[in-house]
């Protein structure tokens, strides 16, 4: 007999979403289940029709074959990861996919059915397989399913024998009609990505449990009971208990449903209720959970089935244009999170998920959008437990063929199936506050059908869909309760909120694209959000840089064995973080896959520190120089969980400290506190920082973890350029040596200070088109020509021209000897056509051996003019090598904003101190801009022995133009005259 499953050709039949797949529900069967994870026999075929051979290799489940044993000689096809953003990896139109080139994994193993599962209902659960799963037991067809990011359960009761041993085969076909609605912007993989389980229930079992718990303590639990045999015996009942509190049967509900209160589950439904006195409500700040146990009893009272849930009492509602949690208008400090791991691709463990969330918590995030498909069930458990608001997004993105598919009736079933299954699975999680219909799939009848299902099934949560919202942020008829644009210009958001037309909360589903050195203007966004009623935040795109650990030698993904081959964001020598194109893909979208706020090993990028500060629970303001105003910026809790310490940084090098007592403040309250330290008469510029840490160990951070460090300026610098002011008398006879080219000769410099208008383009500079303009103007290869060298007493004035291809910059340097060194007064005049350059400043290079930098200014993290929050002014010190941020594709990196003074030093070497006239943008790295520009991957960079130092009079903001708005005009570098001064002294 031919196998009916392949004969159906389900991989090109969108109408077939599943066959034999059980309905989704919220009864968690993981506890007590038998894990089938581990080694399976495996074959990789070139197409689903290709014959299964006799030779098997072994692979680990869960896992993706695109990253596991990719050099396995038994594979009849090589299938490595491929990165494409929008374009499908093949040209077939939906619902078709390649016929001959369609990698298909055949997984096989024996399963032993416990003998005591006699008369039980035996169920197989495949956590996730992409994209089509066919199931056979002993060669008999059992089921089909699609949706690469939801589990599929199959009833094996008729196919297996308790006490018996059977062969389970899972065939996973990579390309299908479903791939066209799984066209999310990440790596394409193939395999079984989540755990496989076997569990058993009584034939009469809890088929679903729906929990509603509101902040007033009211709990309603609806239970659905089903008999696999189709009949429901009399006398069975359900009971419930919440942390020792017994739930009561809602007889009204029973009567209405069954018309006989004795047979409460006669029609398979029962409702339980409780009211919890003095309930501790759930919020992301206060993730209070209660344990609920629901039991199905036989007529004799014995327990036939048990379902355990963790309940959070909370309300979500939209009132007017505000999204409220427990009646409070919250801010959404969100991030978009994909399933990703540099060694396992799409398979993420409990520890991985927990580490993601813990890190986000430590950096002030309170919300996650599960971009762009439902996560592993564990993710939601962790979100409930650690405290996150979740936008739960269905696995639908048809980006490349969005318009065709949104109204294609062949896909109707798939849309409703994917959305409804997600809702049925996740409805009991307090963390899930919003449902999302998917991403970038245009807007059509298929969406409205899915939206209709959700609204009917779960009226307790809002629904969002960007594709609908973009038809009109205030349109009441669309399938989105939230105006959830992506990358909307901030001014448009503010204008909408002020227009009087706003009807829905405005929460961007994606904003602040984190590709490379990015996230400029994040602070401006938050200033506007906090100042503008109607704006409630958004989700940064995205959490991960999806770099896959790759061996440079053989080009293969390293896979599971790679633990320890990376550290601090950097791959070990001989390895690199692969992005699009690195696996030899013909079609790819390059480094667009590296656009997260963390590196592929989860090392936070500098923007995380700014985010942490923007999310600070405690804020500080100066009150008329007499005292301080401390405020509690949380929504739901006091400051008891926090501790503080004062730190006063003085320009003269001192840092004074004092213990801090945080005032007792309710959410939103403020208090005046006296200045904690007497400000010394001398010492110059003075900055007071409140270092706020966690007072007691928490689930997501140990005691002492810094949460924020708000800072106020207590005293401004008296004289802007005390060290180099024009009043400072030149040291006569000090002598300044310049060569015939007018270049400074200095024993510690290997390249004299010259003018720089160029930076190694960031991803934003490249994709936003700025870099192209800069290259067209020739700013990357300005040709310097000395015009004159004039001595005037002890000073030397050098005039030079820097010629680009379309304009000439006039540059003047006046060198004046000062105590211990030289002062340099500079002027650059940019022609009008250079109306938006990367920087105007000085660059020079030092001798080797100066390996340490100490500075007074913002730090210690990297900062730029439009991304400078979260880096308090103080005295910082780091090895030169650690100043550089290892963005996957080398680009401008390592800058520090607001630098007032810095010293380069090394053991046994004379050091250098540079003092600019005012706080300036500075970078000290091992790389010239051209070194960075010439390399495609971090591992290709060859560090120079000395330091490359940039000191900028002006530096362009970073913006987010790789996907979204550029920086604001106030952060651009204008043409015309720029002046700056600085001194260079030896120690
Ligand atoms: C959005 C999309 C994301 C991602 C991002 C750019 O348009 O929803 O999936 O592609 O842009 O990185
Ligand atoms: Mg897309």
């Amino acid at each position: 007999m031919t196998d009916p499953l392949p004969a159906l050709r389900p991989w090109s039949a969108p109408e077939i979403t599943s066959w034999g797949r059980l309905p989704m529900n919220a009864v968690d069967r993981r506890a007590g289940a038998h894990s089938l994870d581990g080694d399976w026999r495996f074959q990789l075929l070139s197409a689903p029709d290709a014959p299964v051979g006799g030779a098997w290799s072994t692979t680990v489940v869960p896992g993706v074959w695109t990253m596991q044993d990719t050099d396995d000689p038994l594979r009849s096809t090589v299938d490595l990861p491929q990165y494409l953003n929008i374009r499908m990896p093949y040209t077939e139109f939906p619902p078709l996919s390649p016929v001959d080139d369609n990698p298909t994994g055949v997984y096989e193993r024996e399963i032993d059915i416990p003998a005591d599962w006699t008369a039980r209902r035996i169920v197989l659960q495949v956590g996730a397989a992409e994209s089509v799963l066919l199931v056979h037991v002993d060669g008999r067809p059992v089921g089909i399913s699609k949706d690469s990011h939801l589990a599929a359960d199959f009833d094996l009761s008729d196919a297996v024998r308790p006490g018996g041993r059977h062969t389970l085969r899972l065939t996973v076909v990579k390309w299908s009609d479903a791939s066209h609605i799984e066209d999310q912007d990440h790596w394409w993989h193939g395999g079984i990505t989540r755990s496989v389980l076997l569990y058993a229930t009584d034939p009469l079992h809890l088929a679903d449990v729906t929990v509603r718990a509101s902040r007033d303590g009211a709990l309603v639990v609806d239970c659905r009971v089903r008999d696999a045999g189709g009949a429901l015996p009399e006398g069975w009942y359900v009971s419930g208990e919440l942390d020792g509190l017994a739930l009561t049967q809602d007889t009204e509900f029973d009567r209405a449903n069954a018309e006989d209160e004795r047979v409460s589950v006669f029609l398979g439904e029962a409702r339980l209720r409780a009211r919890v006195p003095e309930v501790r409500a759930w919020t992301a700040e206060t993730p209070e959970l209660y344990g609920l146990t629901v039991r199905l009893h036989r007529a004799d009272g014995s327990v036939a089935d048990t379902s355990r849930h963790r309940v959070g009492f909370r309300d979500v509602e939209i009132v007017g244009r505000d999204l409220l949690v427990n009646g409070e208008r919250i801010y959404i400090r969100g991030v978009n999170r994909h399933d990703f791991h540099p060694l396992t691709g799409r398979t993420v463990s409990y520890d991985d998920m927990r580490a993601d969330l813990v890190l986000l918590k430590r950096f002030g995030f309170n919300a996650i959008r599960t971009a762009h498909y439902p996560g592993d069930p564990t993710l939601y458990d962790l979100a409930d437990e650690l405290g996150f608001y979740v936008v739960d997004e269905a696995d639908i993105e048809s980006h490349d063929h969005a318009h065709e598919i949104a109204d294609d009736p062949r896909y109707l079933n798939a849309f409703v199936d994917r959305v409804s299954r997600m809702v049925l699975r996740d409805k009991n999680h307090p963390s899930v506050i919003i449902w999302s219909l998917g991403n970038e799939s245009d807007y059509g009848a298929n969406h409205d059908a899915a939206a209709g299902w959700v609204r009917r099934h779960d009226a307790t949560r809002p629904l969002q869909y960007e594709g609908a919202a973009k038809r009109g942020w205030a349109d009441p008829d669309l399938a989105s309760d939230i105006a959830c644009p992506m990358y909307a210009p901030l001014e448009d958001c503010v204008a909408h909120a002020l227009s009087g037309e706003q009807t829905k909360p405005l929460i961007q589903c994606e904003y602040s694209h984190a590709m490379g050195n990015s996230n400029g203007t994040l602070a401006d966004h938050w200033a506007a959000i906090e100042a503008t009623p109607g704006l409630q935040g958004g989700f940064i795109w995205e959490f991960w840089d999806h770099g896959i650990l790759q061996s440079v030698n053989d080009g293969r993904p390293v896979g599971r064995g790679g633990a320890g081959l990376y550290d601090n964001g950097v791959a070990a020598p001989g390895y690199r973080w692969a992005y699009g194109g690195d696996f030899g893909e013909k079609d790819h979208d390059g480094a667009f896959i590296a656009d997260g706020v963390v590196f592929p090993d989860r090392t936070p990028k500098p923007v995380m520190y700014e985010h942490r500060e923007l999310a600070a629970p405690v804020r500080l303001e100066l009150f008329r120089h007499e005292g301080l105003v401390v405020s509690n910026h949380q929504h739901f809790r006091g400051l008891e969980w926090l501790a503080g310490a004062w730190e006063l940084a003085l320009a003269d090098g001192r840092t004074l400290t004092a213990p801090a007592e945080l005032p007792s403040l309710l959410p939103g309250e403020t208090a005046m506190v006296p200045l904690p330290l007497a400000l010394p008469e001398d010492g110059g510029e003075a900055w007071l920082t409140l270092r706020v840490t966690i007072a007691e160990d928490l689930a997501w951070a140990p005691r002492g973890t810094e949460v924020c460090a708000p800072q106020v300026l207590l005293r401004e610098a008296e004289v802007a350029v005390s060290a180099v002011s024009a009043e400072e008398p030149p040291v006569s006879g000090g002598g300044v040596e310049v060569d015939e080219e007018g270049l400074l000769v200095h024993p510690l410099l290997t390249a004299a200070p010259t003018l720089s208008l160029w930076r190694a383009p960031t991803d934003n500079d490249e994709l936003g088109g700025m870099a192209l303009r800069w290259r067209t103007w020739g700013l990357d290869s300005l040709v310097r020509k000395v015009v004159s060298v004039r001595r005037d007493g002890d000073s030397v004035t050098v005039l030079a021209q820097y010629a680009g291809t379309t304009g000439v910059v006039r540059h003047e340097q006046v060198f004046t000897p000062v105590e211990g060194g030289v002062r340099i007064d500079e002027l650059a005049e940019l022609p009008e056509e250079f109306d938006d350059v990367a920087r105007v400043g000085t660059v020079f290079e030092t001798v080797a051996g100066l390996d340490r930098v100490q500075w007074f200014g913002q730090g210690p993290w990297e900062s730029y003019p439009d991304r400078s929050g979260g880096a308090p002014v103080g005295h910082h010190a780091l090895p030169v090598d650690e100043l550089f941020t290892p963005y996957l594709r080398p680009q401008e990196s390592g800058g520090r904003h607001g630098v007032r003074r810095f010293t380069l030093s090394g053991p046994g070497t004379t050091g250098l101190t540079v003092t600019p006239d005012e706080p300036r943008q500075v970078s000290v790295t091992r790389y010239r801009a051209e070194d960075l520009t010439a390399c495609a991957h971090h591992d290709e960079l060859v560090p120079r022995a000395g330091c490359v130092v940039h000191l900028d009079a002006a530096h362009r903001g970073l913006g987010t133009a790789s996907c979204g708005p550029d920086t604001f005009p106030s952060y651009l570098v204008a043409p015309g005259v720029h002046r700056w001064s600085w001194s260079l002294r030896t120690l």
Side-chain angles (χ1 to χ4, degrees):
M1 193 186 85
T2 50
D3 183 347
L5 298 194
L8 283 171
R9 308 194 67 74
W11 44 87
S12 52
E15 303 85 350
I16 303 177
T17 55
S18 63
W19 172 73
R21 184 180 177 192
L22 295 172
M24 217 70 178
N25 62 73
V27 181
D28 186 353
R29 299 293 178 184
R30 286 172 292 173
H34 289 211
S35 170
L36 299 182
D37 289 351
D39 286 347
W40 288 54
R41 294 191 290 280
F42 182 69
Q43 292 191 30
L44 186 64
L45 313 178
S46 56
D49 293 329
V52 178
W56 296 87
S57 50
T58 303
T59 199
V60 176
V61 169
V64 289
W65 66 64
T66 36
M67 292 186 60
Q68 288 171 310
D69 319 308
T70 52
D71 48 1
D72 176 359
L74 292 177
R75 295 192 179 180
S76 67
T77 187
V78 176
D79 189 29
L80 295 176
Q82 178 177 9
Y83 168 56
L84 276 170
N85 169 11
I86 300 170
R87 281 173 299 160
M88 286 297 288
Y90 45 83
T91 51
E92 283 80 355
F93 264 58
L96 302 178
S97 43
V99 176
D100 301 323
D101 184 9
N102 188 359
T104 298
V106 184
Y107 296 80
E108 217 178 73
R109 61 165 282 165
E110 266 56 66
I111 51 170
D112 291 311
I113 308 297
D116 61 0
W117 282 7
T118 306
R120 307 275 285 164
R121 168 180 163 265
I122 299 166
V123 182
L124 168 74
Q125 180 175 90
V126 181
E130 52 192 78
S131 68
V132 181
L133 170 70
L134 312 182
V135 183
H136 292 84
V137 173
D138 299 332
R140 278 175 59 187
V142 169
I144 299 176
S145 94
K146 295 176 188 171
D147 190 338
S148 298
H149 303 278
L150 279 180
D153 290 27
F154 303 94
D155 189 338
L156 303 189
S157 308
D158 292 338
V160 298
R161 189 173 46 79
R165 165 167 278 216
H166 301 272
T167 302
L168 173 64
R169 176 181 288 186
L170 304 179
T171 305
V172 180
V173 184
K174 181 171 179 177
W175 304 125
S176 70
D177 56 88
S179 309
H180 289 286
I181 54 170
E182 295 182 2
D183 182 20
Q184 291 99 350
D185 176 10
H186 59 165
W187 293 98
W188 288 102
H189 287 296
I192 296 174
T193 57
R194 294 184 189 153
S195 290
V196 182
L197 311 172
L198 204 57
Y199 64 85
T201 72
D202 198 283
L204 189 60
H205 58 277
L206 287 165
D208 201 5
V209 173
T210 304
V211 179
R212 268 159 294 150
S214 38
R215 73 182 192 278
D216 62 2
L219 176 69
V220 180
V221 180
D222 284 342
C223 310
R224 194 175 278 269
V225 178
R226 285 287 174 266
D227 188 333
L232 288 171
E234 279 193 25
W236 288 51
Y237 62 97
V238 290
S239 72
E241 172 243 309
L242 184 89
D243 284 347
L245 175 76
L247 274 60
T248 55
Q249 199 90 25
D250 185 332
T251 46
E252 288 293 308
F253 177 84
D254 292 340
R255 215 171 289 125
N257 280 279
E259 291 165 1
D260 178 351
E261 67 190 58
R262 286 169 304 135
V263 285
S264 47
V265 298
F266 185 68
L267 284 184
E269 284 169 26
R271 174 169 289 178
L272 304 172
R273 285 183 184 275
R275 180 164 288 276
V276 180
E278 290 169 42
V279 72
R280 301 181 311 275
W282 187 97
T283 69
E285 289 174 14
T286 58
E288 297 281 357
L289 294 172
Y290 290 74
L292 169 71
T293 307
V294 175
R295 296 192 175 91
L296 171 67
H297 300 265
R298 302 185 183 90
D300 65 1
S302 61
V303 176
D305 200 2
T306 305
S307 180
R308 291 182 210 284
H309 304 261
R310 285 189 307 175
V311 178
F313 287 81
R314 60 113 186 86
D315 297 315
V316 183
E317 62 200 317
I318 292 176
V319 175
R321 57 179 181 171
D322 295 328
L323 174 73
L324 308 182
V325 169
N326 297 349
E328 280 290 317
R329 176 177 174 269
I330 53 159
Y331 287 126
I332 295 289
R333 304 181 187 279
V335 74
N336 282 277
R337 180 194 169 280
H338 267 292
D339 280 344
F340 173 77
H341 192 278
L343 304 180
T344 54
R346 206 103 76 213
T347 294
V348 289
S349 67
Y350 170 86
D351 289 344
D352 295 330
M353 288 181 263
R354 193 167 198 288
D356 291 0
L357 268 49
V358 159
L359 188 82
L360 287 168
K361 244 357 229 189
R362 291 188 189 180
F363 284 88
F365 289 86
N366 69 356
I368 293 166
R369 174 172 174 239
T370 67
H372 300 300
Y373 42 79
D376 186 285
T378 303
L379 185 76
Y380 305 80
D381 295 342
L382 287 165
D384 293 344
E385 193 176 301
L386 299 172
F388 282 95
Y389 302 118
V390 174
V391 171
D392 202 4
E393 187 152 284
D395 187 13
I396 302 174
E397 175 163 345
S398 57
H399 208 155
D400 200 9
H401 296 283
H403 187 63
E404 299 100 285
I405 289 178
D407 282 300
D408 185 338
R410 293 173 298 176
Y411 277 95
L412 169 63
N413 201 10
F415 274 56
V416 178
D417 187 60
R418 284 164 185 249
V419 173
S420 63
R421 281 183 179 271
M422 171 184 76
V423 172
L424 286 164
R425 187 192 69 166
D426 296 336
K427 63 193 168 195
N428 293 342
H429 288 282
S431 55
V432 175
I433 62 162
I434 296 169
W435 302 116
S436 163
L437 296 180
N439 188 55
E440 297 186 320
S441 304
D442 206 330
Y443 177 38
N446 293 344
H447 291 102
D448 282 335
W453 188 94
V454 178
R455 294 199 196 287
R456 174 80 186 196
H457 189 85
D458 179 26
T460 71
R461 293 174 176 91
L463 178 65
Q464 77 173 46
Y465 175 52
E466 184 269 339
K470 84 167 161 232
R471 301 284 171 96
W473 290 355
D475 192 325
D477 298 327
L478 302 173
S480 191
D481 301 326
I482 303 202
C484 50
M486 46 173 74
Y487 314 108
L490 180 59
E491 55 275 23
D492 292 3
C493 298
V494 173
H496 181 63
L498 299 179
S499 67
E501 307 289 315
Q502 188 183 4
T503 56
K504 304 178 183 183
L506 205 167
I507 301 168
Q508 294 219 52
C509 71
E510 294 176 30
Y511 82 112
S512 197
H513 196 248
M515 184 178 184
N517 190 356
S518 183
N519 303 99
T521 74
L522 191 61
D524 306 80
H525 273 75
W526 275 95
I529 290 164
E530 295 191 358
T532 315
L535 304 188
Q536 283 192 259
F539 295 82
I540 289 178
W541 186 267
E542 66 173 307
F543 182 59
W544 285 109
D545 262 2
H546 302 224
I548 290 177
L549 189 71
Q550 180 186 39
S551 144
V552 176
N553 247 345
D554 64 9
R556 302 272 175 182
V558 176
R560 276 173 218 276
L565 291 177
Y566 45 78
D567 185 32
N568 252 321
V570 180
Y575 299 89
R576 68 177 180 186
W577 300 128
Y579 54 75
D582 289 342
F583 295 108
E585 310 112 282
K586 187 164 57 64
D587 294 322
H588 64 82
D589 285 310
F592 206 61
I593 191 70
D595 55 358
V597 291
V598 299
F599 285 98
D601 65 350
R602 214 183 276 108
T603 297
K605 287 189 185 172
V607 59
M608 291 287 268
Y609 294 92
E610 173 163 50
H611 187 274
R612 187 175 77 174
E613 206 54 44
L614 294 173
V618 183
R619 309 275 171 99
L620 196 61
E621 275 169 87
L622 192 59
F623 183 72
R624 291 194 202 149
H625 289 267
E626 292 157 14
L628 299 159
V629 181
V630 177
S631 52
N632 175 357
H633 263 254
Q634 302 166 101
H635 295 291
F636 300 104
R637 63 183 156 175
L639 303 183
E640 304 76 43
W641 62 290
L642 298 169
W646 296 107
E647 208 175 272
L648 180 65
L650 297 164
D652 66 3
R654 281 179 291 168
T655 302
L656 312 178
T657 58
E661 185 81 24
L662 294 179
S664 176
L665 292 175
L666 293 173
E669 280 187 348
T670 57
M672 283 279 294
V673 300
L675 286 179
L677 286 154
L679 190 58
E681 290 281 307
D682 53 356
E685 191 180 351
W687 289 86
L688 180 67
T689 307
L690 178 60
R691 296 224 171 251
V692 180
T693 54
I694 287 173
E696 297 298 335
D697 289 353
L698 295 177
W700 49 270
R703 172 167 182 250
T705 305
E706 190 163 294
V707 166
C708 58
Q711 185 175 58
V712 292
L713 175 62
L714 278 195
R715 183 171 58 207
E716 301 201 15
E718 283 149 36
V719 195
V721 203
S722 60
V724 286
S725 74
E727 289 107 69
E728 189 184 6
V731 186
S732 61
V736 172
E737 201 187 327
V738 296
D739 66 14
E740 65 281 10
E741 294 296 311
L743 296 170
L744 179 71
V745 177
H746 190 286
L748 294 180
L749 302 192
T750 54
T754 53
L755 177 69
S756 172
L757 305 184
W758 170 251
R759 70 183 178 200
T762 63
D763 292 310
N764 291 328
D765 295 339
E766 289 289 2
L767 296 173
M770 288 78 84
L772 181 65
R773 282 206 312 278
W774 299 338
R775 287 192 185 99
T776 311
W777 296 339
L779 302 189
D780 55 338
S781 50
L782 292 172
V783 179
R784 178 181 183 277
K785 197 176 96 200
V786 62
V787 175
S788 65
V789 178
R790 204 182 69 234
R791 281 201 174 266
D792 181 8
D794 287 317
S795 355
V796 183
T797 301
V798 178
L799 275 179
Q801 282 184 351
Y802 287 72
T805 36
T806 61
V808 176
V809 180
R810 188 168 73 85
H811 182 226
E812 181 188 284
Q813 284 176 319
V814 181
F815 300 97
T816 309
V818 290
E819 187 67 49
V822 55
R823 184 178 91 216
I824 304 149
D825 298 294
E826 306 204 42
L827 176 151
E829 187 178 357
L830 275 62
E832 279 309 307
E833 60 260 47
F834 292 175
D835 60 358
D836 172 13
V837 302
R839 59 163 34 119
V840 175
T842 308
V843 61
F844 62 88
E845 292 176 22
T846 74
V847 295
L850 300 171
D851 295 337
R852 193 170 172 75
V853 190
Q854 279 166 283
W855 75 101
F856 179 51
Q858 290 194 243
W861 336 110
E862 180 193 270
S863 51
Y864 283 84
D866 62 351
R867 203 196 67 217
S868 72
V873 176
H875 299 285
H876 306 285
L878 279 175
V880 170
D881 294 334
E882 289 179 24
L883 287 169
F884 187 77
T885 310
Y887 297 110
L888 268 58
R889 195 190 65 77
Q891 52 196 279
E892 163 63 30
S893 164
R896 296 296 185 280
H897 193 61
V899 174
R900 281 112 170 119
R901 176 174 71 239
F902 65 98
T903 298
L904 301 175
S905 60
T909 323
T910 316
L912 273 181
T913 292
V914 172
T915 314
D917 49 355
E918 57 181 78
R920 298 285 183 188
Q921 181 78 20
V922 167
S923 71
V924 181
T925 71
R926 301 286 187 201
Y927 310 104
R928 294 181 184 160
E930 70 237 40
D931 300 340
L932 298 168
T933 313
C935 293
H937 292 86
H938 180 76
D939 68 293
E940 295 159 24
L941 289 170
V942 182
R944 291 175 184 272
C947 300
V948 179
V949 181
H950 278 275
L951 185 156
D952 294 327
H955 193 106
R956 191 187 196 279
L958 300 166
T960 63
S962 55
C963 180
D966 192 2
T967 194
F968 297 153
S970 55
Y971 300 112
L972 297 179
V973 178
V977 173
H978 294 258
R979 289 175 205 275
W980 68 107
S981 301
W982 52 290
S983 72
L984 179 71
R985 290 182 158 88
T986 42
L987 290 181

